[in-house]
Amino acid sequence: MAPKDQGGSDSRFFTTQKKGELHELRTELHSTDRTTKVDAVKKVIASMTVGKDVSGLFTDVLNCAQTGNIELKKLVYLYLINYAKSQPELTLLAVNTFVKDANDRNPLIRALAVRTMGCIRVDRITEYLCEPLGRALRDDDPYVRKTAAVCVAKLYDIAPELVQERGFIETLHDLISDSNPSVVANGVAALSEIAETSGRDVMKISASVLQKLLAALNECTEWGQVFILDSLAKYVPGDAREAEGIIERVTPRLQHANSAVVMSAVKVILSYMDVMAAGGGANAENIRALTRKLAPPLVTLLNSEPEIQYVALRNINLIVQKRPSILENEIKVFFCKYNDPIYVKMEKLEIIIKLVSEKNIDQVLLELKEYATEVDVDFVRKSVSAIGRCAVKLERAAERCIGVLLELIQTKVNYVVQESVIVIKDIFRRYPNRYESIIATLCDNLDTLDEPQAKASMIWIIGEYAERIDNADELLETFLETFEEEDPTVQLQLLTATVKCFLKNPEETQDMVQRVLDLATEESDNPDLRDRGFIYWRLLSTDPEAAKLVVLGDKPVIEDDTFRLEPNLLNVLVGQIATLSSIYHKPPEAFVVRAKRSPASDVMGMDDDEEEDIEGEEEDYEDENDVNNGGGGGDLLDMGGLSVNDNTPASANDGGMGDLFGGGGGAAAAPEARMSKVCTPEKSGGIELWAGFRQVGGAVKLELDIRNISSNVPVSNLAIQLNKNAFGFSPGSQQIICNPPVPMGGSGKQTVELVNNPNMLVQVPAGQPASPQIQVAVKNMATGLVFYFAANFAFEALFSSDGALERTAFIESWKSIDDQKELFSTVSDLPPSSTDIDQVAAKFQGYNIFLIARRPVPNAVGQEVAYFSMKTTTGMIFMAELTFKQGVNAAKVCLKTENIAYGVQAKVALETLLRSP
């Protein structure tokens, strides 16, 4: 036994060794005394930890692995893991030791051997790992099994083909049904990791697996619970009843001491609440009860350490955007404490603005006014800005907010006054001609303004309300004295304000406007300022009335930007709660660059068409196979009461008149539908469904590829119904007759014509884009099974053949549409065919997108612009401007439409077609 002073602390191994230490260490490593040998390996590990090269002792350390002492084995294996990459040949010498240890009687040693082999990322080691790993996955001891499960995920990262060949993924599925909850949790963790690496859904949750996961949830460790909850969050319940049952089992996790478990449970409940909401009003009371249950655990998280508070607040920020009612009565818990770190305070302010309402505005204003007297300048600025945002958000409270801002201006604190001016400008834009009486107070504080944004805001106010300010020209003159030294934003605002003054009072401001135009066009190097100056100069010299219409025209009222995330992106981020995505407020693909997958993608069953579909939908941030609203319940349909007396089956041959006469009479063939997998065999009784949309002969068709994977009953007769959707589609016939029936292992194609039905149209909420998702229910009449899926509608299938506008009509329509109804994007990584306008026009014409005109861009060598028009079968008109540059495989897209709610879908259609070869 080592003396106490020797073994009391391992820190002594980090003390500087004398010269010749490697020789001494080698001698100690070969010592027959076990304590000396252990201490020697600890010294080697300590040297390795502080960066010293001890690879010269590789064989000496490796010899120490031949021992029954588990502490010594752990140290040796740690050394091997560290130097395996730099000494791959020598690492092979340890293979026999690993294989021998993998058969040891001690389960701890067996697990240690498998774990170490998995951590050594050397290709030549992996072939020796498979046999021990296969045995470990079926080991009698649960500790070995759970260690082996994690090892499969590590092996998949190195050699995915090997994992597939050896059937390890199937073994992991078996482990999910293991009797030990820790093994279940690690099996789920490994499958989740493989799914992330491969980009495929290898985590197949059936009804029996679901019950196993829920049972293991109560018994496994907290991190195991997190993995299981994250997997449940990705599972789509069949209906509201199933969702409610799962939520009931998950709800106790909300009281867990670990904040990660709490947030994962919240994620599951939020995602399933959408499924319950789709079931109609019957579940409204249950949803309200769940809403009440979610508030306390979220509030409790704010009593944690500041770092955990910040993460919780970033997640809560998303939650209150998705469901504000959860915390609408808890705004007080987000009031800042004096000792909160600045990053926590800033995040609390954001949530306060999102939760503020007419019921609590008075106490919020008192709190924000208090914050505005703090010593932290950034926090004070954010607080003053928050008061302005409350005014923009709540019309009835705007006057009270302005009163508080005026009180703050009276404090004469420089940065408070400047931030107040900035937000008052936004209030003026939100409520024009309502609160201009305070302009005089603002003008009294001109001398305190020294920041560009504050100056620009004040200049905008002076120019916009010049007719109400007696000495507007004199006030502008004070800024003109330092025009050349000002920030570009101030110069641009000064130029516009001076022109406004001139148009409102030409006699007294002619000299001033001439001076400003000279400064902008002749003295400035800023191209933006110079261009704007020339535009104003030409307008004023050629047509002053047109100048008035342009410069003094009515401006759009700004909107409350409290809920700034797009609904689709918000849904993605809520599904990523408790991950980095929910902290950055960005989808994973925006900041995670995954290594290119090896040819294992073919093994995983992904064909080229599916890969192309996934690439084409990158910007949607939506999973086409995910029925967000569950589809179950009476809102979608009651398939049990479906009448099948309609003997007009959906035709499998949809070629229309052209097909009737054998070949279409020379007409252009309709483009093929882009198919994607929408239903897996596990959810539909052994049937796999692929779906896509296209237009044939002016009619919109839903194409179905029915593949009978494992159903003993041939697929002969299906019934179909659609949920209400943003396009008003319903099936022309609810019957799909498969003739001949589709036997097990076979497949068949069917087509369902979609017709417009006003009763099926969902009104798009104001200010939000139309959802592309169409939810479908299908009943297999032979088995009685009802299953659901959702597919994103291909908007190009809605464009009609009469969408080509006359050139003059196009120009007039383009000019008449407000700039606020423009959508922009840049589409990169285009195939060569999509960088040539002639080829793009030919491709687009097949989808009823018509080229109207094209022109080179002046003063831009190699750039060309093409204009296209399209019209839907329902009469919506879209116009697009595409800009191409020679030698660049990208294009800029600008789309204009009066139907801005559907503009996003039209833009996505153009982007998808551009990306397609």
Side-chain angles (χ1 to χ4, degrees), residues 655-665 667:
M657 192 63 76
D659 288 338
L660 187 63
F661 291 100

Short mmCIF file of all heavy atoms in Angstrom, two decimals, residues 655-665 667:
data_model
loop_
_atom_site.label_atom_id
_atom_site.label_comp_id
_atom_site.label_asym_id
_atom_site.label_seq_id
_atom_site.Cartn_x
_atom_site.Cartn_y
_atom_site.Cartn_z
N GLY A 655 -53.38 11.94 -68.77
CA GLY A 655 -52.88 12.71 -69.88
C GLY A 655 -53.89 13.55 -70.57
O GLY A 655 -53.58 14.33 -71.45
N GLY A 656 -55.17 13.45 -70.26
CA GLY A 656 -56.18 14.30 -70.87
C GLY A 656 -56.41 13.90 -72.32
O GLY A 656 -56.20 12.79 -72.75
N MET A 657 -56.88 14.84 -73.14
CA MET A 657 -57.24 14.59 -74.54
C MET A 657 -56.06 14.11 -75.35
O MET A 657 -56.17 13.27 -76.22
CB MET A 657 -57.82 15.86 -75.14
CG MET A 657 -58.49 15.62 -76.50
SD MET A 657 -59.90 14.53 -76.35
CE MET A 657 -61.11 15.61 -75.65
N GLY A 658 -54.86 14.66 -75.04
CA GLY A 658 -53.67 14.25 -75.78
C GLY A 658 -53.42 12.76 -75.66
O GLY A 658 -53.14 12.08 -76.63
N ASP A 659 -53.55 12.22 -74.45
CA ASP A 659 -53.30 10.80 -74.24
C ASP A 659 -54.37 9.96 -74.93
O ASP A 659 -54.13 8.85 -75.38
CB ASP A 659 -53.27 10.47 -72.75
CG ASP A 659 -52.00 10.99 -72.11
OD1 ASP A 659 -51.02 11.22 -72.83
OD2 ASP A 659 -52.03 11.19 -70.90
N LEU A 660 -55.59 10.49 -75.00
CA LEU A 660 -56.69 9.75 -75.59
C LEU A 660 -56.40 9.40 -77.03
O LEU A 660 -56.71 8.33 -77.51
CB LEU A 660 -57.96 10.60 -75.50
CG LEU A 660 -59.27 9.92 -75.91
CD1 LEU A 660 -59.54 8.76 -74.97
CD2 LEU A 660 -60.41 10.91 -75.90
N PHE A 661 -55.73 10.31 -77.72
CA PHE A 661 -55.42 10.07 -79.12
C PHE A 661 -53.99 9.60 -79.33
O PHE A 661 -53.46 9.68 -80.43
CB PHE A 661 -55.67 11.35 -79.94
CG PHE A 661 -57.13 11.68 -80.04
CD1 PHE A 661 -57.68 12.64 -79.22
CD2 PHE A 661 -57.95 10.99 -80.91
CE1 PHE A 661 -59.03 12.94 -79.29
CE2 PHE A 661 -59.30 11.29 -80.99
CZ PHE A 661 -59.85 12.26 -80.19
N GLY A 662 -53.35 9.18 -78.25
CA GLY A 662 -52.07 8.52 -78.40
C GLY A 662 -50.93 9.45 -78.68
O GLY A 662 -50.37 9.45 -79.76
N GLY A 663 -50.54 10.26 -77.71
CA GLY A 663 -49.33 11.04 -77.87
C GLY A 663 -49.53 12.52 -77.77
O GLY A 663 -48.58 13.28 -77.86
N GLY A 664 -50.70 13.00 -77.63
CA GLY A 664 -50.90 14.41 -77.31
C GLY A 664 -50.93 15.33 -78.50
O GLY A 664 -50.99 16.54 -78.36
N GLY A 665 -50.94 14.81 -79.73
CA GLY A 665 -51.10 15.68 -80.88
C GLY A 665 -50.03 16.73 -81.00
O GLY A 665 -50.29 17.83 -81.44
N ALA A 667 -48.55 18.41 -78.64
CA ALA A 667 -48.48 19.38 -77.55
C ALA A 667 -47.32 19.04 -76.64
O ALA A 667 -46.92 17.90 -76.50
CB ALA A 667 -49.79 19.37 -76.77
#
